Each structure stands twice: as C-alpha cells, then as structure tokens.
Amino acid sequence: MKHLSPKIIFVLSFFILVGCKKNETTEVVKSEIPQNSIEYASGLSIVKHEGYSVVTVSDPWPNANAKFTYILKEKEAKVPDSLQKYATIRVPLESVVVTSTTNIPFLEMLDVEDKLVGFPHTDYVSSEKTRALIDKGSVKNVGQNEKLNVEQLIELAPDLIVTFGVDNNNPMLDNLKKSGLNVFIQADWMEQSPLGKAEWIKLYGALFGKEEQAKELFDKIVLSYNQAKKLAADQPATSTVLYGSMYEDLWYVAKGNSWVAQFMKDAQANYLWSYLKGTGSEGLSFEKILVKAKSANFWIASGSFKTLEEIEKTNPHYSQFDAFKNKNVYTFEGKIGATGGTVYYELAPSRPDLVLKDYIKIFHPDLLPSYEFTFASKLN
C-alpha cells in the first residue's frame, strides 16, 4: 500500500475535523430545542420555553374533531406573535376549579389543594384532606359537570376552570368561555395507558409552577409500577379472569386495549376478553358471559358490593360462576368516602402502581406476602 502524501493527509484531517465539528454543533443545537416533556400520555404535550409553556390536548373526547392549545405564561414573559392566537393562562395559578375527582389527588400530591375554590357535586370527593376544605367552606359546590353554576363561577372568579367535554357538542363549555372565564379542557380520562393517566400530574405541575416536583413524583410512580410489573413478569398467566357485572340487560366487559386489560396483562393474568380490539367496554348478553367465563378462576366485579350474598341478590344467576362458588370474587369499588364517593375512581388514575399491586396480590399473592390492598376487597 502506498504512503499517503502530506497534502492528502491534511485534506482528510480537515474534513474529519469539519465533520466532527458539524456533529458537535448539531448536537448542541438539538439539545437547545425545547422538547415535549410527556413520555406516556398520548393526548397531552407540554413544551417548556423561556417564561412560558405550550400545552396541547390532542384527544379531548371520543372521535373529537378538534384539539386545544394553551399558552401558560409566567409573569413578564414574552410570547411570540405566532402563539398569540391561542388561549393564554397566567401561571402559577392562585385559584382553580376542577370538575373531576381524578384531579384532586394531583392537587394534593403537589401540595396545592388549598388553591381549589370550587368543585361540582362535592359529595363525590373522598379524600379526607380536601373534604376538610369542603367542610369548612373553602371549596364551593358549583353544580354538576354538565350544569355548572355559571353565575357562581363568575362570582368566585377562579384563575382557571379545568373541565372536560364528552363529545363535539359542549354548550356548557361555550357558556363558560362567553362569560369571560378561563377554561382548560383536559382529557386524562381518555388515556388507556395506566402510566399515561398518571402523567397528567405534569399538567398541574406546569399550572402551579411545580414542574420539577411533578416530574419527581411521576418518576417514582413509574419506578414503582415497573418494579411491580417486573416482579410478576416470570409468573405464568394461568389464572382466568371474568370482569364486570350486569347493567340492566347487558354485561359490560373491558376491551383488550383498555387500561383495565393492561393491568391484568402486567399482573400476569389471563383476562378472558383481552382479544377484543379497542378501548372502553362492550355489552354482551349474560348467556355469552356464562358460556365463556363459567369456570373462570377469578371474578373482578364492578360495583360497591361487600358480600357474596349482596351481589347475588342483584342477580341470582351470578351463583352459577365457579369464581362465585369458590369465593374468589373481588371488587375495586367497595371503599367509599365519607359522603359516598368511590375512592378507586378518585385515586386509581393517579396511582396505577398501587392498582397493579392489588391485581398482583389477587392473582399471585405469594409475590406480595405483606402487602395490603389499597383498593381491592374480597367479597365475603
């Protein structure tokens, strides 16, 4: 092989250096570009800039034909002209109205529950911490979700109302905006990933200037969830599971891409309707349920039942299931707050790690011998 001349070596060295320099520059520029801080939630994006954040809710309700973008603006911050068309919310908030019990744990986890000034149908709130605020009059009852008391809200004048829509026709949302109230449409309830639901705590971190605290809390939940999932990973998914209960003439089972089905998969259980595509639930006749699940090992029932006798009274045919005969019936909805709210509906979306541990305790009790249920209870 011939030796390279000094001139060629110089030219090659020049291009190598330029190439390296170019890559270094590319990396620096890339690292300076604001990134979406959301990892698991599919319907939320939060991009932090100097003095403001751009928040996008892309999946506000089923079959939505719109998405919502908000600018969370800190004091004295300058927002580019190109973003002026979006709703601007001044942060950190000093007062807020939320309309779903799933939001309450986020406020409490970030120590800002004292900023809550209104909630619809306050009896639904189970948390003792927020119930104390309601009982002393710090949190006003502002009506019901789709019939909010607009006059009362105007009088309260919260910095923001965090609410939700159920379809493309939301006259109540329009009325709130026309009244000059700041409204944020959130959609944590649309998430089907357990960790995706919980990650909405980062929205509240951005609203109250507690981004770092929100991230730390969420990271701990992710770690706890993944540790529990890993604990069960090597277990055979031999336990067959029936889910749900009769509602009027139909039995609604969770579909295979729902967050319920995901929990059972991560807990290494054989959920009998995991093959159903889609999210949400599907209504089936009792006969179809009985044929498929008569010999199921476990039954996760919906409803706040306490005993097998109580659930049997609602439908005597329930006694035909082997899970009923063998007393392997559980519910996650049996724990009720002081005024009738269901603890599971309120807390579970923000603490999927605890839900998963409950499922693992049901299907593989030896893996968590000293763990006590957070939500689940066995019907006696």
Side-chain angles (χ1 to χ4, degrees):
M1 183 177 179
K2 294 182 179 179
H3 293 290
L4 297 176
S5 70
K7 183 176 181 180
I8 293 175
I9 292 173
F10 172 78
V11 172
L12 287 173
S13 300
F14 174 78
F15 279 113
I16 290 170
L17 287 171
V18 169
C20 292
K21 194 69 177 177
K22 184 177 180 181
N23 288 337
E24 284 180 16
T25 305
T26 302
E27 288 301 317
V28 171
V29 171
K30 184 177 179 181
S31 67
E32 290 176 352
I33 297 174
Q35 302 292 315
N36 178 17
S37 63
I38 302 301
E39 302 174 67
Y40 297 88
S42 61
L44 177 66
S45 168
I46 302 177
V47 179
K48 179 76 173 178
H49 298 263
E50 184 68 34
Y52 69 94
S53 296
V54 179
V55 179
T56 303
V57 178
S58 58
D59 218 6
W61 50 75
N63 303 312
N65 55 17
K67 67 178 181 179
F68 298 91
T69 298
Y70 305 91
I71 308 303
L72 310 189
K73 179 180 178 296
E74 298 170 21
K75 188 177 181 181
E76 308 299 335
K78 292 183 179 180
V79 177
D81 292 341
S82 60
L83 300 177
Q84 298 294 336
K85 60 184 177 181
Y86 300 118
T88 299
I89 300 166
R90 295 187 179 276
V91 294
L93 301 179
E94 290 299 323
S95 61
V96 68
V97 169
V98 300
T99 60
S100 172
T101 56
T102 61
N103 309 149
I104 301 297
F106 292 145
L107 299 179
E108 293 187 353
M109 291 162 73
L110 293 169
D111 300 313
V112 292
E113 70 277 357
D114 60 328
K115 307 296 184 184
L116 182 66
V117 296
F119 187 88
H121 211 314
T122 50
D123 284 350
Y124 288 153
V125 177
S126 299
S127 167
E128 293 181 6
K129 205 171 181 182
T130 301
R131 281 238 59 84
L133 295 172
I134 294 170
D135 293 341
K136 75 175 186 178
S138 299
V139 180
K140 306 297 182 184
N141 191 329
V142 293
Q144 297 181 4
N145 284 330
E146 294 183 25
K147 294 182 180 179
L148 296 175
N149 188 326
V150 178
E151 291 182 2
Q152 187 179 19
L153 288 170
I154 292 173
E155 185 177 341
L156 282 174
D159 289 345
L160 188 66
I161 299 171
V162 181
T163 186
F164 59 90
V166 295
D167 54 35
N168 290 306
N169 181 29
N170 294 290
M172 174 52 64
L173 301 181
D174 295 335
N175 289 339
L176 292 173
K177 292 176 184 178
K178 288 177 182 177
S179 300
L181 296 163
N182 289 325
V183 179
F184 188 105
I185 309 299
Q186 70 141 32
D188 62 334
W189 64 284
M190 285 288 292
E191 300 288 343
Q192 293 304 320
S193 155
L195 291 175
K197 285 182 182 287
E199 194 169 19
W200 281 71
I201 190 175
K202 291 182 179 179
L203 167 64
Y204 292 87
L207 290 173
F208 289 95
K210 295 199 170 190
E211 290 95 339
E212 287 303 315
Q213 186 176 342
K215 184 181 184 306
E216 288 176 10
L217 288 165
F218 179 67
D219 287 347
K220 288 179 181 178
I221 291 169
V222 172
L223 179 62
S224 176
Y225 189 96
N226 287 335
Q227 286 176 337
K229 181 179 175 180
K230 185 178 180 180
L231 183 66
D234 295 332
Q235 299 298 309
T238 54
S239 296
T240 51
V241 187
L242 164 66
Y243 180 86
S245 303
M246 289 293 290
Y247 179 74
E248 296 181 348
D249 296 329
L250 292 174
W251 188 303
Y252 289 90
V253 296
K255 292 184 179 179
N257 298 114
S258 65
W259 77 313
V260 168
Q262 186 64 53
F263 278 127
M264 294 200 212
K265 179 181 178 182
D266 291 346
Q268 291 299 306
N270 179 12
Y271 174 49
L272 292 174
W273 281 271
S274 62
Y275 65 89
L276 286 178
K277 294 182 179 180
T279 59
S281 60
E282 181 167 325
L284 301 172
S285 67
F286 179 83
E287 290 74 19
K288 287 185 177 180
I289 297 292
L290 185 62
V291 168
K292 190 168 186 64
K294 183 182 184 300
S295 60
N297 303 123
F298 294 91
W299 175 12
I300 309 298
S302 53
S304 57
F305 302 107
K306 301 294 184 184
T307 66
L308 293 171
E309 182 183 9
E310 186 181 346
I311 195 172
E312 187 180 15
K313 283 182 179 179
T314 65
N315 191 322
H317 297 297
Y318 287 159
S319 62
Q320 298 180 58
F321 293 105
D322 287 356
F324 182 95
K325 296 174 184 177
N326 297 327
K327 300 180 181 179
N328 278 329
V329 184
Y330 294 79
T331 180
F332 280 69
E333 301 167 33
K335 296 183 180 180
I336 306 298
T339 53
T342 304
V343 174
Y344 178 73
Y345 293 152
E346 182 174 315
L347 183 58
S350 60
R351 292 305 307 269
D353 55 322
L354 300 179
V355 179
L356 179 58
K357 288 178 182 179
D358 276 12
Y359 275 114
I360 293 173
K361 180 72 173 180
I362 292 171
F363 305 130
H364 308 285
D366 293 343
L367 295 179
L368 295 169
S370 60
Y371 175 78
E372 294 185 4
F373 289 130
T374 301
F375 306 103
S377 55
K378 190 174 186 180
L379 273 59
N380 297 315

